[in-house]
Amino acid sequence: MLVRYLDRDIIGTDREVEAENGNWVSRRLILADDKVGFSYNDTIIRAGTETYIHYQNHIEAVYCVGGNGEIHDINNDVTYPIRDGMMYLLNDPAADKHYLRGGSEDMRLICVFNPPLTGREVHDENGVYPALSLDE
C-alpha cells in the first residue's frame, strides 16, 4: 500500500511543479516510478489564466473538484464551462488541442495521465508534454 499526504509529502518537494509562466501548479501524487501504469495529479489552474495544451503523447482524464474555468476545444471550436463535478477526457492525442482557462477563482483539477508522467515534464512551445522515460 502506498499512502501520501498532499501537505506533508508533496507540497514543497520536487513533486510540486509550477508552470514557468505561473498559470498553474501541479502536485504529482503518483508518477511513473510508482509503477502502476498511470500518474495522478492535483492541479491548480490560476484564475484569469490561459494555457494552450496539446497532449500528443498522453491521454488525460480530468475531474474538477473546485473553482471554475473553461476548456476550449480548438478543433471543434466549442467551449465548455468547467466547475465542481465536471469531467473531461482528452482521448485523441492527434486532435485534442485546447485552451484551458482559469475563471473567476482558482480551479482545482484531479488529473490522470496514461502513459504516466515521470514528474519532469513541462509543456513545450507547442503545449506538449514529451514522452519521457524514467531513464531520461
Side-chain angles (χ1 to χ4, degrees):
M1 178 182 295
L2 173 65
V3 175
R4 290 191 175 117
Y5 293 89
L6 186 65
D7 61 347
R8 184 188 74 194
D9 302 319
I10 307 298
I11 294 176
T13 73
D14 62 355
R15 286 178 171 262
E16 184 177 46
V17 178
E18 178 101 19
E20 288 183 12
N21 62 9
N23 284 4
W24 52 265
V25 60
S26 179
R27 288 101 173 233
R28 286 140 185 220
L29 293 126
I30 299 172
L31 291 169
D33 63 358
D34 292 313
K35 299 183 185 342
V36 295
F38 63 91
S39 58
Y40 188 80
N41 303 337
D42 181 324
T43 299
I44 304 297
I45 305 299
R46 300 220 167 83
T49 62
E50 178 179 83
T51 303
Y52 172 74
I53 303 173
H54 182 198
Y55 292 128
Q56 294 175 338
N57 302 305
H58 297 87
I59 292 172
E60 182 190 29
V62 179
Y63 184 67
C64 180
V65 296
N68 62 65
E70 63 184 28
I71 183 169
H72 179 79
D73 175 346
I74 293 171
N75 291 338
N76 296 307
D77 194 28
V78 177
T79 299
Y80 300 94
I82 300 174
R83 60 176 173 77
D84 185 19
M86 184 266 206
M87 184 281 306
Y88 63 89
L89 176 66
L90 302 169
N91 61 345
D92 184 353
D96 285 330
K97 298 176 184 177
H98 62 284
Y99 285 102
L100 188 57
R101 299 180 180 123
S104 62
E105 58 185 334
D106 287 354
M107 183 170 42
R108 186 173 182 194
L109 305 174
I110 305 303
C111 312
V112 177
F113 282 88
N114 185 13
L117 301 179
T118 66
R120 296 183 306 277
E121 294 85 356
V122 293
H123 295 110
D124 68 15
E125 66 278 1
N126 298 310
V128 176
Y129 275 162
L132 298 178
S133 72
L134 289 175
D135 299 329
E136 294 180 65

